[in-house]
Amino acid sequence: MAIAPSSAHAHWSSRFGFLMAAIGSSVGLGNFWRFPYTAGENGGAAFVLIYVVCVLLIGFPVLMAELSVGRYGQGSAVGSVEKLTADNGSPQFWTMLGWIGMIGGILVLCFYSVVAGWVTSYIFKMFGGELTGQAPGAVAAAFEAFTADPYAVLFWHSLFSFMTIFVVSRGITGGIEKASSVLMPLFFIMLLGMVVYAMVTGDAGAALSYLFAVDLSEVRPSTFLAAVGQAFFSIGLGSGIMITYGSYLDKNANIGQSAGIIAFADTAVALIAGLAIFPFVFAFTALEPNAGPALFFQALPSAFAAMPGGNIVGAAFFTLALIAALTSSISLLQAVVAWAEENSSLGRNTITWVFGGFIWLVGVGVVFSMSFFDFLDFISGSLALPLAGLLIAVFMGWVVRRDIAKSQLSHASPLLFGFFRFSMRFLAPIALTLILVLGLDDKFGWGLTQMLLGG
């Protein structure tokens, strides 16, 4: 049982610092890697429209719920859920949602740091001109050769892990908040500069049409599921991060407003990232925008290799992706560090290096085994995170008393609070159940996806 949070529980030093940390947590590689190729695989503009609606109807209210639980509990994800469960007089069963989310987040970080290591290496590959002038086939072969060299991947995985552990070891205000307050403004400035450059030098017309010219004939039942999944995972829900970050909020903080800003910023970055990526892809490669994960490490580097000054532009782009990856990884590590601080007499520095070192070690297994990578991705992305999200939606919608929920959303208008309750009771549980069940179906081949979505 978690130790009750003390009055010395840390708090953000400013609202700006909290927003930068929370936005940094939600803005990760999913915005740069997953969103572009998911949009490409699901009809481009039609997917974008449905995605935005899913963020409003599901992502935003679930985010409100997680911040509310954290602010109420004033502890780690596990400790906050335990406190709310006890005060609400609910069965102990519900405490599992904190555990499932935190463990899922740990598993994500174990392989996320490996992918972030790839990103880090590509900053130097691009800047050093290693891929300049190379044909797309050669660029793809270079990526395959790099990922097939476990010792090279291990070096970059270790470097990224060290950066993550170092920032978290410095504390909430001195490490996470300070780093986020510097990195996120820099990130937005660089991203906007990248978009301007991409729109001027690339095929802006094709990119705008692809992302924003809606063609409803492209919409399939599977498009809705992909949009719901992207809306949920992109914001970083279900992993205990936002519960943990919410616990450092002041009692007077406006959760609804903060959640709206975070969800808007995350969505805006995903769309803007598309405008920074697709003009290059359309102008400088013959590859399709629905190239899947290869879009990030093969199609884009191919575009940079073919364009004048592409080594500088490519290095800047992967630096952007590194900042996004780092601000997300520190939040994933902080979630487990917060729990350990509640349940251990060890100092924060020791706890951070012990848990960070353990996650690094599991990541070493990922480096040497792609099947292990796929296993962790399945357990976290298809099982733990959507299950934790489903449980928190049902918990806040059907279990937690209305007066407790209202006390954490006291700034919300009656209309917003009513919408929040409706989403927690109906919209979010239905959507997250679909993500969970069909994700398992994809793994085990039950045939439900074919039956429900027609493929």
Side-chain angles (χ1 to χ4, degrees):
M1 184 174 186
I3 297 172
S6 71
S7 59
H9 185 68
H11 286 85
W12 305 108
S13 66
S14 68
R15 184 168 184 260
F16 175 79
F18 159 66
L19 288 174
M20 290 300 98
I23 292 170
S25 171
S26 63
V27 173
L29 288 180
N31 299 76
F32 281 84
W33 183 13
R34 179 169 173 160
F35 180 83
Y37 82 73
T38 303
E41 291 175 336
N42 290 276
F47 169 83
V48 170
L49 178 63
I50 298 170
Y51 165 73
V52 171
V53 173
C54 289
V55 169
L56 290 173
L57 297 182
I58 298 163
F60 168 55
V62 173
L63 177 56
M64 290 173 63
E66 295 200 359
L67 292 175
S68 296
V69 171
R71 207 260 298 273
Y72 182 91
Q74 293 288 289
S76 66
V78 173
S80 292
V81 174
E82 287 182 344
K83 184 178 190 310
L84 179 52
T85 299
D87 291 355
N88 193 64
S90 305
Q92 286 293 300
F93 162 83
W94 292 103
T95 61
M96 74 183 325
L97 76 87
W99 283 103
I100 293 171
M102 185 181 72
I103 293 171
I106 292 172
L107 296 180
V108 168
L109 185 54
C110 291
F111 64 84
Y112 191 88
S113 63
V114 175
V115 178
W118 299 350
V119 171
T120 309
S121 74
Y122 264 69
I123 297 174
F124 296 90
K125 289 179 184 293
M126 297 306 306
F127 187 74
E130 184 177 321
L131 303 176
T132 301
Q134 297 289 326
V139 172
F143 174 68
E144 291 171 0
F146 167 66
T147 54
D149 182 352
Y151 297 102
V153 175
L154 177 60
F155 171 79
W156 294 107
H157 160 60
S158 301
L159 178 60
F160 181 82
S161 296
F162 173 82
M163 291 188 289
T164 300
I165 296 169
F166 176 77
V167 172
V168 176
S169 72
R170 306 297 293 175
I172 299 301
T173 57
I176 296 174
E177 185 175 349
K178 180 180 288 186
S180 300
S181 296
V182 172
L183 290 175
M184 290 313 296
L186 175 63
F187 170 86
F188 285 117
I189 291 170
M190 290 181 65
L191 179 60
L192 291 175
M194 182 68 68
V195 169
V196 171
Y197 185 82
M199 298 295 278
V200 171
T201 62
D203 193 336
L208 288 169
S209 176
Y210 181 74
L211 283 172
F212 300 114
V214 177
D215 181 2
L216 295 180
S217 67
E218 294 287 343
V219 176
R220 303 287 186 273
S222 58
T223 306
F224 289 90
L225 181 64
V228 171
Q230 179 65 26
F232 178 78
F233 292 114
S234 177
I235 299 175
L237 302 173
S239 62
I241 293 173
M242 292 303 176
I243 297 178
T244 304
Y245 275 16
S247 74
Y248 306 123
L249 280 174
D250 184 87
K251 288 294 184 182
N252 296 317
N254 188 328
I255 287 180
Q257 185 182 78
S258 295
I261 292 171
I262 296 165
F264 172 81
D266 179 76
T267 303
V269 169
L271 296 176
I272 293 171
L275 293 177
I277 291 172
F278 288 123
F280 294 139
V281 172
F282 285 121
F284 297 103
T285 75
L287 298 174
E288 293 297 322
N290 61 345
L295 178 70
F296 199 79
F297 289 104
Q298 296 181 26
L300 273 172
S302 295
F304 296 139
M307 61 190 289
N311 60 322
I312 303 299
V313 178
F317 176 83
F318 282 102
T319 299
L320 272 171
L322 172 61
I323 293 173
L326 182 60
T327 53
S328 293
S329 68
I330 60 179
S331 64
L332 287 164
L333 181 56
Q334 173 56 28
V336 67
V337 167
W339 170 80
E341 283 187 299
E342 289 177 353
N343 295 276
S344 171
S345 60
L346 297 175
R348 180 185 181 86
N349 191 63
T350 301
I351 288 172
T352 305
W353 284 98
V354 167
F355 278 89
F358 171 76
I359 291 169
W360 169 84
L361 186 61
V362 177
V364 172
V366 173
V367 168
F368 285 88
S369 173
M370 283 304 297
S371 61
F372 189 43
F373 183 117
D374 294 337
F375 172 75
L376 293 181
D377 185 25
F378 164 72
I379 293 295
S380 58
S382 297
L383 186 59
L385 300 190
L387 178 58
L390 172 61
L391 289 174
I392 197 167
V394 174
F395 183 57
M396 289 298 290
W398 294 98
V399 180
V400 173
R401 298 197 311 267
R402 180 185 178 90
D403 62 299
I404 292 181
K406 183 63 177 175
S407 71
Q408 298 306 304
L409 298 172
S410 57
H411 294 87
S413 66
L415 180 62
L416 177 58
F417 185 73
F419 162 69
F420 167 77
R421 294 280 287 181
F422 179 75
S423 180
M424 290 300 94
R425 288 182 161 221
F426 304 106
L427 298 180
I430 292 171
L432 292 169
T433 297
L434 280 173
I435 293 175
L436 179 62
V437 172
L438 296 184
L440 294 174
D441 174 61
D442 183 61
K443 175 69 174 181
F444 297 110
W446 297 329
L448 295 177
T449 302
Q450 179 70 31
M451 181 176 66
L452 295 177
L453 304 180

